[in-house]
Amino acid sequence: MKWMLLLYVLLNVVVFGLYGIDKYKAIHHKWRIPETTLLGAAIIGVFGALSGMYFFRHKTRKPKFFITVPLILVLETAVAVWVLL
């Protein structure tokens, strides 16, 4: 069980980093990470995605993100509660 928690934390750290890298690339006019990749990453690390969005102030005005990422959180939480109960 500990390794699963550690893996989940590591995945969220990686996703957080992806949002930071994309913000850096946006500022420096470099090749960007596709939005579908960022949203896909949010599925495996939703806490990293949300915290990356607000920490880096990145994608917070795009409805595709400010609606979808919290929705992913709600859905994952509902599934987790359903599985655990």
Side-chain angles (χ1 to χ4, degrees):
M1 190 67 168
K2 276 186 177 180
W3 66 271
M4 287 178 66
L5 181 61
L6 182 62
L7 178 62
Y8 189 68
V9 169
L10 180 63
L11 286 172
N12 277 283
V13 168
V14 169
V15 172
F16 178 84
L18 279 177
Y19 277 76
I21 289 167
D22 193 53
K23 177 66 176 194
Y24 174 85
K25 288 181 172 200
I27 291 170
H28 292 90
H29 307 289
K30 296 188 180 240
W31 191 274
R32 305 279 302 280
I33 298 171
E35 287 185 345
T36 53
T37 302
L38 292 173
L39 287 172
I43 293 171
I44 62 167
V46 70
F47 294 108
L50 271 173
S51 48
M53 282 173 61
Y54 290 100
F55 182 82
F56 297 113
R57 292 188 217 123
H58 189 51
K59 303 286 188 186
T60 55
R61 289 200 233 173
K62 288 195 163 231
K64 186 188 288 187
F65 283 86
F66 76 73
I67 293 170
T68 305
V69 176
L71 183 60
I72 291 170
L73 176 63
V74 169
L75 291 173
E76 286 185 6
T77 302
V79 168
V81 167
W82 181 72
V83 168
L84 293 175
L85 294 179

